[in-house]
Amino acid sequence: MLMQRSATLLLMSILPWCIATSALAAEPAQRLQRATGLWKVTPTTSPFSWEICVDQERDRLIDDDLWSDFEQECTIASQGRDGDSYVFQSSCPGAKLAGHFKGDLAKAYTLSSDTTMELNGKTEVQHLELEGVFQGACPAGLAPGAKKMRGGMVMKTLYTHR
């Protein structure tokens, strides 16, 4: 009886850790979630930066700033983590998307991607690199999920269906 109780206690203490570890290992790229607050996102190859008011529970970094509808349209073929770096390969409609994230989702990050597609019989690769920096609390009037583009135009919340 004592041995059975010890085995049960051991299993009860190990099982939650195993479940949490497997859930973390299976966490897909689209679940990269920034800290709640205002983030400034700047593409390194474009002058068009924006600010986004993030609600961490509903944030989807890849979906919101890289490939709209990524979760619904794309399938992750491979992914891996190494410290504060994360890489993934995915298949999307008419394209392959490879991404690399590095940084801290509470302070600053760099997200780069290569989208490979066939265009007019040729293979084209579009490279994009974004730098995100946490700015603090969201300003009054900017709803969670809303983007304020450089120049002042505000795009409505991206979180409508989340």
Side-chain angles (χ1 to χ4, degrees):
M1 177 94 158
L2 181 59
M3 186 134 151
Q4 184 180 14
R5 181 176 291 168
S6 296
T8 302
L9 288 173
L10 179 63
L11 184 58
M12 287 174 60
S13 65
I14 292 175
L15 189 58
W17 180 82
C18 291
I19 291 169
T21 302
S22 66
L24 182 62
E27 190 71 4
Q30 68 262 34
R31 298 290 182 213
L32 291 173
Q33 295 172 298
R34 297 167 281 201
T36 296
L38 187 67
W39 284 83
K40 182 172 183 174
V41 179
T42 306
T44 60
T45 56
S46 166
F48 300 105
S49 63
W50 61 89
E51 294 177 328
I52 181 171
C53 181
V54 168
D55 172 5
Q56 184 178 25
E57 290 184 23
R58 295 186 287 174
D59 186 44
R60 301 290 186 271
L61 175 60
I62 306 289
D63 211 62
D64 296 344
D65 289 342
L66 189 59
W67 185 291
S68 181
D69 294 326
F70 181 82
E71 288 185 44
Q72 289 77 33
E73 295 181 353
C74 303
T75 304
I76 295 176
S78 65
Q79 59 186 334
R81 283 190 186 273
D82 183 18
D84 68 350
S85 293
Y86 182 85
V87 295
F88 67 94
Q89 302 277 333
S90 61
S91 295
C92 302
K96 301 281 185 195
L97 177 66
H100 179 265
F101 168 89
K102 183 167 179 57
D104 183 338
L105 290 164
K107 296 177 185 173
Y109 63 86
T110 301
L111 176 64
S112 60
S113 70
D114 288 311
T115 305
T116 305
M117 65 198 105
E118 293 294 319
L119 193 61
N120 298 325
K122 293 183 178 181
T123 300
E124 298 286 333
V125 179
Q126 180 182 27
H127 180 75
L128 177 64
E129 190 165 315
L130 304 172
E131 293 177 354
V133 179
F134 184 72
Q135 303 291 298
C138 292
L142 192 62
K147 284 185 178 182
K148 183 178 180 183
M149 307 308 284
R150 187 175 145 205
M153 183 180 82
V154 175
M155 296 174 60
K156 293 182 181 180
T157 183
L158 301 168
Y159 300 158
T160 304
H161 301 290
R162 292 186 202 155

